[in-house]
Structures are given as structure tokens and as C-alpha cells.
Amino acid sequence: MTEIPVDLDSHRGMAAQKATDLRRALADVEAQVRELREREAELENRMMSVPATSWPEAAVKARHLLNLYAASLPTEDTRHRALVAALFDDFARLNGDG
């Protein structure tokens, strides 16, 4: 018996190797998406439980909501996308970032 593990993937055909690689990549992406959703839910719970103490803190919450809104817009809705972008510019300018 040998201590070196056998690479079973190398004994499969090319199509089977590609299918295995795709399954592994998909599983990895799904795990990352799940983790991102959990982190986003944690952030939103913190945002709901702690009131803003300044306008910049309120703008952070508004920016998050606007990003969610903008992500749901159809690509052809350029008017609302431009409005969201203009508001982000206003936040940066009024906060002294721009």
C-alpha cells in the first residue's frame, strides 16, 4: 500500500473531467453566494437595530437601499439608473468626498 493518493480525475475521460470541474466550481460559487447573503443579512440587521447618529451614517443606509433598488432595475431603465448615480454623486459631494 502506498501513501501517495491516486488522482482519480486523471483516469476519467475529458468530458467527465470537465463535468466534475463544473460541478466543483458551481458548488464553490453557491457556497460563496450563501455566505454573501448571510453577511448581507447581518449587515441589514445591524442597520435596522442601530439608528444613525449623523447624516453621513443615514446616507450609508440610503446608499445600500439605492444599490438594492438599482440592481433590480431593468437595463433599459437608464433614466432611473442616472438618477441613482446622480444621488450617489450628491452624497459624495455633500460628504466632502468629491
Side-chain angles (χ1 to χ4, degrees):
M1 189 148 155
T2 178
E3 295 292 322
I4 301 171
V6 177
D7 181 17
L8 296 177
D9 287 342
S10 64
H11 294 285
R12 296 184 186 147
M14 196 56 152
Q17 286 181 28
K18 287 183 180 182
T20 299
D21 289 343
L22 284 174
R23 281 193 307 274
R24 288 176 181 161
L26 179 60
D28 186 41
V29 167
E30 288 172 345
Q32 290 177 11
V33 166
R34 220 175 5 263
E35 180 183 338
L36 180 60
R37 285 188 183 137
E38 290 170 1
R39 290 175 51 207
E40 186 176 44
E42 180 183 325
L43 170 67
E44 290 171 353
N45 287 334
R46 286 177 45 199
M47 286 180 161
M48 285 187 292
S49 65
V50 179
T53 59
S54 66
W55 282 107
E57 287 180 14
V60 168
K61 292 180 180 184
R63 184 174 288 124
H64 177 68
L65 287 174
L66 286 168
N67 277 323
L68 292 174
Y69 169 69
S72 70
L73 289 172
T75 54
E76 61 272 2
D77 192 351
T78 56
R79 183 169 160 250
H80 285 144
R81 289 183 179 279
L83 183 60
V84 169
L87 189 53
F88 285 158
D89 291 343
D90 289 344
F91 284 165
R93 182 178 42 79
L94 292 172
N95 196 34
D97 296 341

